[in-house]
Amino acid sequence: MTEHKFNSISELAEHLKISRTTLYRRANLSDINLTGVYSDEQLELLSSVHQTVQQLNSSTEQTGQLSEQTEQQIKFLNKEISAKDKQIKFLSDQLKEKDLQISLLNKNLDQAQQLQLIAEQRLTETNKTLIEYQEKENQPKKGFWHRLFK
């Protein structure tokens, strides 16, 4: 196994007849550190177009699978959001109905208090007139002549 030494990345790229960007991409895909000293196998991996294409295809397939999973998750989350929106609308409608019921109950309570007050006032007036009649009856009766000459 022979080791080849290159002074720079540009020199290595020229030797492989590829651009520096392609060199970096292939090195990342093949897990090769660009240190300056390379074995024959590493140079073969870096110059091999076929293997790089296969790796790109496999990464594309993985990306496709991930995108399908992502789409499924998005659909699921959209359904969840839709269900939550329906639940929020239902609860909002219930809250409006409860507010209406509370306002009606407050109105009825106010009316009941007013009726109670009116009833108490009438009862007080009736008690006063009753007391007046009782006082008049409890007074001794005076005769005709007593009333006339008083």
Side-chain angles (χ1 to χ4, degrees), residues 139-150:
Q139 290 179 354
K141 285 193 173 186
K142 298 179 184 175
F144 174 74
W145 294 106
H146 189 269
R147 283 186 275 164
L148 191 62
F149 292 108
K150 186 178 180 190

Side-chain angles (χ1 to χ4, degrees), residues 106-116:
N106 283 335
K107 182 180 175 184
N108 289 339
L109 181 62
D110 187 42
Q111 288 176 348
Q113 287 175 342
Q114 289 176 358
L115 288 174
Q116 180 70 25

Side-chain angles (χ1 to χ4, degrees), residues 63-79:
T63 305
Q65 291 172 354
L66 288 176
S67 67
E68 286 179 25
Q69 290 174 349
T70 306
E71 286 178 19
Q72 290 174 355
Q73 288 176 345
I74 289 172
K75 287 179 184 178
F76 174 76
L77 292 175
N78 282 336
K79 287 179 185 178

Side-chain angles (χ1 to χ4, degrees), residues 82-93:
S82 175
K84 294 293 180 187
D85 287 343
K86 287 178 184 177
Q87 188 177 15
I88 288 171
K89 184 180 181 328
F90 174 75
L91 292 174
S92 177
D93 291 344

Side-chain angles (χ1 to χ4, degrees), residues 36-77:
V37 178
Y38 308 98
S39 66
D40 289 332
E41 291 176 1
Q42 289 175 329
L43 288 177
E44 179 65 31
L45 285 173
L46 291 174
S47 65
S48 171
V49 175
H50 181 67
Q51 184 176 3
T52 306
V53 170
Q54 287 178 345
Q55 288 175 346
L56 286 175
N57 286 341
S58 68
S59 66
T60 304
E61 289 174 13
Q62 290 173 352
T63 305
Q65 291 172 354
L66 288 176
S67 67
E68 286 179 25
Q69 290 174 349
T70 306
E71 286 178 19
Q72 290 174 355
Q73 288 176 345
I74 289 172
K75 287 179 184 178
F76 174 76
L77 292 175

